[in-house]
Amino acid sequence: MYAVPIKTALLVFPIIAFFFTLPYVISQYRKYGSINFFRSVIVYSFILYMICIYFLVILPLPKFSEVEYKPGMMRIVPFQFVLDFIMETSFRIDEPLSIFKAISEPCFYTVFYNLIMTIPFGMYLRYYFKTSLFKTLKYSFLLSLFFELTQLSGLYFIYPYPYRIFDIDDLLLNTLGGVIGFALMGLFLEILPSRDQIDEESYENGKVVSGLRRMTMFIIDVVLYFIIAFSASIVFRGVEHIYLAVYIIYFMILPYYSGSTLGGSILKVELVFENFRVLRNACRSILIVCYYLLVPHLIALICLFIVRTLNLTSIYSVYLYLAGLCVIILFYMINIACILLKKTMPYDRLCRTVYRSTIFRTT
């Protein structure tokens, strides 16, 4: 019963994580200047947890033909689960071993799962979001209310009628679970690093521009450049060399006045040159194009030259082109590794470029 929602959540999680990662990385670099591993574990595990409990509420989905109007889809009398347990359970006080059979019955495990479902929610709220007991109670209640209204509305009116019961007891149990989670988290606060310690470590690491931060800045700049250049080519249709003009503006003129590209401004990274700032910045922009575009192009031209000079047969030509493609891929992989390892790239070394973090703690 509960395996299908959890399996579905595990399948959906990588997709959501994929679209969440870039905004998360950008927000972390903008605020702290670094990505804390422990914080990432907390955030991504919280997302997975929320997906799991959401799917536990809505799955499995019935067929439309099976959903019809039924009276009594709202149970608004509180503590009805106590009466249900007394009437339905096989547990007998004079038979202690009957407890093992009782815990496998719906009158028990439904209540139990509703209770434990929001315990992690209360723990996350207290530990990472630093909420008070009152706010934890409030947010746990609102989360449970959202789930119950989701069921009552027939999954936001996708179904003509509700296919699960709106139960006031679920509200009470989920809210209680959040409060229990808040209390349980108190047992681990002395063991785990505090949120303030995580923030402090993040700010400290953010003073230095990491390789991943440089890589993210490079990706953002490339994406923004092509978006701007493509938009400009549509607006200024017929204008020659529009991509070159946008490149000069984006990578040469803009950094001269702002100290960084748009990607650097977003991630709070500034390009610093020892002297001759305008000249070095212009040379760096040209060298980047030559390095990442002309070098692979040169490898392809060498392969083509060898094929034509030696008049190779089709099969050997294919082998040579594949070898050239492998060399190009290896070239990019080596450079990615060098950036991630904070190695100084050839164009930065020649132009004496230094990446400086502009993160300043304001709290």
Side-chain angles (χ1 to χ4, degrees):
M1 178 179 179
Y2 299 106
V4 172
I6 293 176
K7 289 180 180 179
T8 306
L10 292 175
L11 292 174
V12 172
F13 171 71
I15 301 173
I16 295 178
F18 175 79
F19 290 102
F20 173 78
T21 294
L22 183 58
Y24 172 75
V25 168
I26 292 175
S27 66
Q28 292 299 295
Y29 280 138
R30 280 193 61 80
K31 185 173 183 179
Y32 303 105
S34 66
I35 298 176
N36 186 279
F37 175 76
F38 192 66
R39 187 200 308 279
S40 299
V41 171
I42 295 171
V43 171
Y44 279 90
S45 64
F46 180 70
I47 293 173
L48 177 58
Y49 160 72
M50 294 298 291
I51 296 172
C52 284
I53 61 173
Y54 180 72
F55 282 167
L56 283 169
V57 170
I58 68 171
L59 297 180
L61 296 176
K63 297 178 180 179
F64 279 89
S65 58
E66 297 175 350
V67 179
E68 55 187 21
Y69 175 75
K70 296 178 182 179
M73 293 301 287
M74 291 185 64
R75 297 177 58 174
I76 57 176
V77 178
F79 305 110
Q80 184 67 32
F81 70 91
V82 177
L83 182 60
D84 291 342
F85 181 79
I86 294 173
M87 294 179 61
E88 298 175 13
T89 184
S90 60
F91 174 70
R92 297 292 179 267
I93 297 178
D94 57 342
E95 299 179 14
L97 294 179
S98 63
I99 186 65
F100 295 104
K101 181 180 179 182
I103 61 177
S104 64
E105 296 170 342
C107 61
F108 173 82
Y109 68 70
T110 302
V111 174
F112 178 71
Y113 287 144
N114 273 307
L115 182 66
I116 66 171
M117 186 172 73
T118 51
I119 287 179
F121 184 70
M123 298 177 75
Y124 277 109
L125 288 182
R126 180 174 184 180
Y127 176 63
Y128 186 73
F129 298 99
K130 301 169 65 175
T131 59
S132 63
L133 176 60
F134 175 75
K135 287 186 176 180
T136 301
L137 187 149
K138 180 178 70 173
Y139 293 146
S140 299
F141 173 79
L142 291 175
L143 177 67
S144 180
L145 182 61
F146 168 71
F147 288 154
E148 293 303 311
L149 292 177
T150 296
Q151 296 176 151
L152 183 63
S153 64
L155 196 56
Y156 321 116
F157 306 103
I158 294 176
Y159 289 93
Y161 303 104
Y163 61 91
R164 289 191 178 180
I165 296 174
F166 176 96
D167 196 338
I168 190 79
D169 284 340
D170 291 350
L171 278 171
L172 297 174
L173 291 167
N174 292 159
T175 304
L176 178 60
V179 173
I180 292 174
F182 179 92
L184 288 177
M185 194 65 238
L187 302 175
F188 302 97
L189 292 180
E190 296 297 326
I191 303 174
L192 299 172
S194 67
R195 170 67 186 271
D196 292 336
Q197 290 174 327
I198 295 174
D199 290 348
E200 191 64 39
E201 181 181 348
S202 299
Y203 280 118
E204 190 64 29
N205 293 335
K207 294 178 180 179
V208 179
V209 180
S210 66
L212 182 59
R213 195 170 170 188
R214 285 169 51 189
M215 176 65 67
T216 306
M217 182 181 74
F218 181 80
I219 293 173
I220 292 174
D221 280 330
V222 170
V223 172
L224 289 179
Y225 161 71
F226 278 109
I227 291 175
I228 295 172
F230 178 75
S231 302
S233 66
I234 296 176
V235 175
F236 302 100
R237 191 183 302 274
V239 177
E240 295 183 359
H241 309 301
I242 188 67
Y243 279 82
L244 176 60
V246 172
Y247 187 87
I248 293 173
I249 294 172
Y250 189 97
F251 288 101
M252 297 183 185
I253 298 177
L254 181 62
Y256 171 73
Y257 288 101
S258 65
S260 182
T261 59
L262 289 179
S265 299
I266 292 172
L267 301 186
K268 295 190 175 181
V269 176
E270 185 180 36
L271 299 177
V272 180
F273 302 93
E274 290 185 0
N275 45 40
F276 304 108
R277 177 179 172 183
V278 177
L279 179 61
R280 291 186 186 280
N281 180 60
C283 291
R284 179 179 179 275
S285 301
I286 296 171
L287 287 173
I288 288 177
V289 175
C290 295
Y291 189 72
Y292 288 111
L293 294 182
L294 295 187
V295 170
H297 187 66
L298 179 62
I299 295 173
L301 289 177
I302 291 174
C303 293
L304 180 61
F305 174 78
I306 293 175
V307 169
R308 290 180 176 178
T309 301
L310 300 181
N311 196 22
L312 298 177
T313 59
S314 299
I315 185 65
Y316 287 111
S317 299
V318 171
Y319 288 152
L320 183 61
Y321 287 136
L322 288 176
L325 178 61
C326 291
V327 172
I328 293 173
I329 294 174
L330 182 62
F331 167 79
Y332 283 118
M333 291 179 62
I334 291 174
N335 281 277
I336 290 173
C338 288
I339 294 176
L340 293 177
L341 294 173
K342 293 170 57 175
K343 301 290 185 180
T344 302
M345 303 306 292
Y347 45 84
D348 288 329
R349 189 180 299 111
L350 290 172
C351 298
R352 298 182 181 180
T353 310
V354 176
Y355 297 85
R356 184 172 66 187
S357 177
T358 58
I359 288 289
F360 298 101
R361 184 166 187 175
T362 56
T363 58

